[in-house]
Amino acid sequence: MVFPKIVFLAVALAAIPSTYSYWIFGGSRPVVTTRLDSIVTPGVVSTHVHSVVGGSRFQASYDFDDLSTSQCSTIPIQQDKSNYWAPQLYYHDESAGTYTLVPTSFNIYYLMRPGPKNENIHAFPTGLRMLAGNVLRRVNNASNFADQAITYVCLDFDHDHSGDPAWEERPDFFQHQCPDGMRAQVFFPSCWDGKNLDSPDHQSHMAYPIQNFDSGDCPSTHPVHLISLFYEMFVSVDQFPYVAGRWVYSFGDNMGLGLHADFQDGWTDKDLLQAAVDQCADTDGNAADCSVLSPNLNQAAASACKPEMTIPNENVGFNGVLKDLPGCNPLWVGTGPKPTCNPDPPTPDFVSVKTPLPSGWHELGCIAEGNTGRAFTNASETDAAMTKAVCANFCSGGGFPYAGVEFGTECYCGSSFSNGAVNTTTIWSDCFSTCGGNPNENCGGPNRLSVLYNPSIQS
Ligand SMILES: *[C@@H]1O[C@H](CO)[C@@H](O)[C@H](O)[C@H]1NC(C)=O
Ligand SMILES: *[C@@H]1O[C@H](CO)[C@@H](O)[C@H](O)[C@H]1NC(C)=O
Ligand SMILES: *[C@@H]1O[C@H](CO)[C@@H](O)[C@H](O)[C@H]1NC(C)=O
């Protein structure tokens, strides 16, 4: 593809009138993909796997105060520690009996969408939670805003399919290949009751506007017009051969009607968000064109961001294909009730997203390599399954107190810092390489070592 994906995505969203201002946090990466949902099933392993974007303290249960202390966010504005999530999509090969994780990223839209009354648009109230869509939905009601808010777009940048009904935006999965991937889209209700940050169904404190699901005046029951939130979940279905029924959500749905999405507010600077709403009236998609947002964009920090907390200890598809979807989620075909399991699969324990270090070792931080040679010269190995723990164990074995992981898969051991390298940490986000053996953990970067130290080893 010659053009950056985001240009096409912005242009292709024909529903957005250009007179309204909006910006996109485009290509946002999940910070973690795991079977948790802090809104619907707080404190426990959730029923199905979600891809979660944003603040690094996403966990089974938390509040705004906890989330706001996240070290980082996969959203480029680091003042936005919110979490945004939706169910993970899998590719089901029925003959092989396998489910393969479909690569996923998100475009998060913030849209100013007043109605004829031109109401003031407000930043999210601190700690707002909400849910859009319905995991159990098996039929589409085209006259219902909540159903209209769930849509799919099939991407084919090389061909014009306008006028072809088989390619129109639709409420469920397409019946053909999408050569440049598919967008699974959720438009959240933007009218707030002005009182409740959440509600028992996580929906009734919010409402869609009077005229349309995606714009209009707010009803008197929900009079506060918030900025509108819209997720495009970009799923690379084009990486798999098209066969009908093979796109399956983590809860077993192979029709696509059960798409839903969650939002937990974590904006640490509401004045910044409100200023962007108020002052960036001409922004046409690109957050960098909003003078309030542009000085705060930090893609390097977003790219380096890794989760901090504990998650269920199970393979959600990053460590090989799955025989079954995690949890009780048999393939769910047709309009009948969701199939059950007998017996239910066991519930996994929680583990730290980072592989625990062996006893005696702790992290010093991200440091620069030596300028005349390696910082650690005494032993080294490369392991496609590298983690910090693998490297610490290797260096322990050689009797070296320093261990440094670099570029995802390299491990270096030393008895001291060498070749001009010093025990001075650089910015943590320089060490952004994903560990070969753990997609949730960072192992150094180019010319940067994540350094570990064990003072009990004498050398
Ligand atoms: C479809 O949605 C409309 C608008 O919300 C509602 O009035 C109608 O009863 C719904 N139809 C069915 C079959 O649920
Ligand atoms: C490790 O390497 C350094 C620098 O080359 C050397 O001075 C030191 O003796 C080595 N340590 C061991 C235990 O081999
Ligand atoms: C490295 O530097 C930090 C910060 O100055 C210091 O606290 C720590 O003791 C040093 N560790 C080693 C092993 O030199």
Side-chain angles (χ1 to χ4, degrees):
M1 211 184 326
V2 182
F3 296 96
K5 209 158 257 167
I6 191 64
V7 171
F8 281 100
L9 298 173
V11 169
L13 194 84
I16 307 246
S18 58
T19 49
Y20 292 134
S21 164
Y22 69 103
W23 69 79
I24 313 166
F25 296 135
S28 290
R29 184 175 61 81
V31 68
V32 68
T33 299
T34 186
R35 193 148 61 94
L36 292 178
D37 188 327
S38 58
I39 294 179
V40 176
T41 52
V44 297
V45 177
S46 108
T47 52
H48 55 272
V49 174
H50 299 101
S51 253
V52 185
V53 171
S56 52
R57 288 185 69 85
F58 179 78
Q59 57 193 290
S61 175
Y62 57 16
D63 59 13
F64 172 86
D65 291 342
D66 184 322
L67 178 59
S68 65
T69 64
S70 292
Q71 185 180 32
C72 56
S73 170
T74 62
I75 294 289
I77 300 277
Q78 294 297 295
Q79 290 90 335
D80 179 17
K81 300 299 198 308
S82 302
N83 284 131
Y84 309 80
W85 65 96
Q88 177 65 40
L89 188 72
Y90 291 86
Y91 181 81
H92 177 49
D93 185 336
E94 205 154 7
S95 52
T98 54
Y99 291 90
T100 307
L101 195 123
V102 179
T104 302
S105 63
F106 287 73
N107 301 310
I108 307 287
Y109 285 66
Y110 279 68
L111 310 106
M112 276 63 92
R113 287 297 186 83
K117 289 186 191 159
N118 206 20
E119 299 153 328
N120 289 329
I121 303 293
H122 299 273
F124 304 120
T126 294
L128 182 76
R129 297 174 171 179
M130 58 179 164
L131 169 67
N134 176 359
V135 67
L136 296 176
R137 188 165 70 105
R138 303 306 280 174
V139 291
N140 185 50
N141 179 349
S143 48
N144 183 338
F145 285 172
D147 287 11
Q148 290 173 17
I150 308 294
T151 50
Y152 293 89
V153 170
C154 187
L155 300 171
D156 182 0
F157 299 142
D158 293 335
H159 303 96
D160 180 8
H161 297 283
S162 48
D164 182 347
W167 285 79
E168 272 170 17
E169 189 166 310
R170 55 185 285 140
D172 53 6
F173 291 150
F174 286 85
Q175 300 303 317
H176 51 74
Q177 183 57 291
C178 298
D180 293 295
M182 180 172 69
R183 296 199 320 248
Q185 313 186 132
V186 179
F187 206 106
F188 282 78
S190 57
C191 298
W192 178 46
D193 71 6
K195 297 186 207 79
N196 300 296
L197 298 174
D198 197 358
S199 51
D201 63 0
H202 314 294
Q203 299 192 313
S204 44
H205 60 307
M206 300 294 299
Y208 285 101
I210 295 167
Q211 293 88 346
N212 294 296
F213 72 95
D214 61 358
S215 65
D217 300 320
C218 284
S220 58
T221 52
H222 296 76
V224 183
H225 205 143
L226 306 181
I227 191 158
S228 296
L229 196 53
F230 174 59
Y231 301 176
E232 291 176 349
M233 180 167 74
F234 176 76
V235 281
S236 299
V237 292
D238 52 299
Q239 295 183 11
F240 305 90
Y242 177 80
V243 177
R246 287 197 171 180
W247 301 336
V248 182
Y249 278 123
S250 54
F251 49 97
D253 174 13
N254 75 347
M255 295 203 295
L257 289 173
L259 174 61
H260 56 280
D262 299 65
F263 173 70
Q264 161 73 57
D265 168 59
W267 275 86
T268 57
D269 188 346
K270 285 290 175 335
D271 293 343
L272 177 71
L273 178 56
Q274 188 66 53
V277 170
D278 294 340
Q279 294 171 36
C280 295
D282 297 328
T283 306
D284 200 5
N286 189 352
D289 292 342
C290 168
S291 59
V292 176
L293 295 177
S294 59
N296 295 292
L297 290 169
N298 185 349
Q299 189 55 50
S303 301
C305 190
K306 292 282 165 171
E308 297 178 52
M309 308 306 287
T310 60
I311 58 171
N313 186 13
E314 66 185 355
N315 175 19
V316 298
F318 288 109
N319 303 316
V321 298
L322 304 170
K323 288 281 168 211
D324 296 297
L325 294 168
C328 169
N329 293 295
L331 188 63
W332 181 11
V333 181
T335 55
K338 188 176 192 297
T340 54
C341 301
N342 189 16
D344 269 329
T347 303
D349 296 332
F350 282 78
V351 289
S352 169
V353 288
K354 300 174 183 174
T355 314
L357 293 177
S359 151
W361 288 86
H362 64 266
E363 285 196 41
L364 291 185
C366 186
I367 69 139
E369 270 286 12
N371 39 36
T372 55
R374 297 259 172 221
F376 301 123
T377 58
N378 299 94
S380 69
E381 67 163 4
T382 299
D383 186 338
M386 185 60 65
T387 62
K388 286 172 180 159
V390 166
C391 184
N393 275 320
F394 173 72
C395 296
S396 285
F400 303 108
Y402 290 97
V405 283
E406 184 167 324
F407 220 52
T409 57
E410 301 166 15
C411 169
Y412 299 94
C413 309
S415 50
S416 60
F417 287 89
S418 300
N419 291 315
V422 287
N423 172 23
T424 304
T425 55
T426 64
I427 183 162
W428 60 271
S429 54
D430 279 1
C431 284
F432 59 78
S433 297
T434 295
C435 301
N438 182 348
N440 296 316
E441 186 178 321
N442 279 346
C443 281
N447 214 30
R448 291 287 184 279
L449 294 152
S450 299
V451 179
L452 313 164
Y453 179 58
N454 185 343
S456 68
I457 297 176
Q458 306 293 323
S459 75

